[in-house]
Amino acid sequence: MGKKGKKEKKGRGAEKTAAKMEKKVSKRSRKEEEDLEALIAHFQTLDAKKTQIVETPCSPPSPRLNASLSVHPEKDELILFGGEYFNGQKTFLYNELYIYNIRKDTWTKVEIPNPPPRRCAHQAVVVPQGGGQLWIFGGEFASPDGEQFYHYKDLWVLHLATKTWEQVRDYIYYNDVYTFDLDTFTWSKLSPSGTGPTPRSGCQMSVTPQGGIVIYGGYSKQRVKKDVDKGTQHSDMFLLKSEEGREGRWVWTRINPSGTKPTPRSGFSIAVAPNHQTLLFGGVCDEEKEESLEGDFFNDLYFYDAIKNRWFAGQLKGPKSEKRKRRRGPKAEPEGADKQDSGEACAHAPLEVVREVVAEDGTVVTIKQVIATPGSSTQPQSDEDDSPEEAGGPWVEPRPRSNAMLAVKHSRLYLYGGMFEAGDRQVTLSDLYCLDLHKMDQWTVLVEADPETQEWLEETDSEEDSDAGEGAEGGEDEDDQDDDEDSSEEDGEPQHPVVTPGEQFEDYLPRTELYWVRLARDEVGPEAKEKRVLKVAHAMAKAFFDDPA
């Protein structure tokens, strides 16, 4: 009885300890959420000081990913909102609004009073009602160290004609299907029959010509054993459509398209062409290992034809002048040159592969592709006086990436930004490309960006030490951790955020504002009013921007 009593007492003690730890973790989670809400409120206070609409011509936006790029329903414009940027140490969130004029090839930064809080990975859709509306739902906010996250569940609309933001309402988002009535501003929950997609994030939706909705791909994790999760990159497709003769009733159907399907991936981007074909670009296939995650990034293009229920690979034809060169015969070899015998020549001959691809207007085009075999050459041979310009110039294509922004206007596909990884470094892009979907010849660069010039800050020893001491009893004061993160110093001098080449102060300040606010708060003391702290922060940022040395 005595031993049993000790065991029961020991068991109750373990339960008590577990409950205490759970309570402690829950308390800390609430504290972290409160910290993020306070940070969001701070930024909203700054935004509240903007009382007028200000439109400023500007250089292309700074690098970012997980923003939204939308097509204006009436004008030849693209609308860029929000996004995030990570420089190796800090995460920056944006709620900036940029307009790209397609015909003039110009950017304009539009500051509108009372915008949505800073965010990334939100959903955006444009509708023509009321002179055009940009709807924004949800998204994510992250702490500067990227360790804490806050997920929005709010809904906003930007009235494009009057340039005014409006927050419509708030609701709790589940893994369900909802419709939103643009006339009554009300949500309705659907209860489709059939088997729909499993719970997931990062899936993409597009509308079919018949009014159905196609769901493709996504990402999810499953617990395979204690403290071990396994990620799944989905490549399945589902169709949500209304039941014939039953108004208001919807049904799920799993579809299995034919043709050349995209390989499994996440972080891809989609847009809808005027002929209702869905375009898919890029993405990443993550390979999970025991203690690492390696990504294979893509820059390929696929078309999905909902009417034919078929995938097509988007192969580019190349410039016409280059094709003419390829039709020319080889130059005559100089006298005395060694010649291969017929058997060797046959073994080294390039292979010709015939593929079917789809043009933007829906027609199927047969394209021949030459593939080199060992010892063969697929390079076109031409006269020496042919210049690169006559040959159509160098072949240009976007680098492989994920989480890019995609939009179609006037049968042209626009690709902006995104990210890729180089070792431990995350590179965020700010380039802009265009592809004529009628010609399907080659990409055109509208905004160039050199990732090599991008600032990247390695983790400091103080940050690693801070993480290592996290499990000690009592932990470390969170304010002290913030101080460690902000004080990457050499010889006692703080390393301020670097000014990137060609960057304007109006772009530099939003990207680095949090850093300067913290520095200013240390300078003026904790009793200083927020207005005073902000004024000092902006002055310090301007002084460093004008004279980084």
Side-chain angles (χ1 to χ4, degrees), residues 15 86 90 145 163 175 183 186 200 206 221 233 252 299 337-338 362 392 418 438 453 458-459 472 498 504:
E15 293 175 359
F86 180 59
K90 299 284 185 181
D145 60 7
K163 292 186 173 62
N175 189 30
D183 295 323
T186 56
R200 63 191 63 188
S206 61
K221 282 189 174 183
Q233 295 178 109
W252 280 113
N299 64 346
D338 294 334
H438 279 308
T453 64
E458 299 292 344
E459 290 187 353
V498 176
Q504 302 297 318

Side-chain angles (χ1 to χ4, degrees), residues 293-345:
L293 187 69
E294 296 182 0
D296 186 13
F297 290 82
F298 304 102
N299 64 346
D300 46 1
L301 182 65
Y302 290 87
F303 293 81
Y304 172 68
D305 189 321
I307 297 178
K308 298 179 181 179
N309 192 27
R310 182 181 178 88
W311 281 104
F312 297 90
Q315 299 287 345
L316 302 187
K317 305 171 187 176
K320 291 183 179 179
S321 54
E322 183 176 334
K323 290 166 62 178
R324 285 198 299 269
K325 286 181 63 178
R326 289 178 177 174
R327 287 197 291 267
R328 297 175 185 170
K331 294 174 61 176
E333 293 186 4
E335 294 183 5
D338 294 334
K339 296 184 179 180
Q340 298 173 325
D341 58 41
S342 59
E344 194 173 9

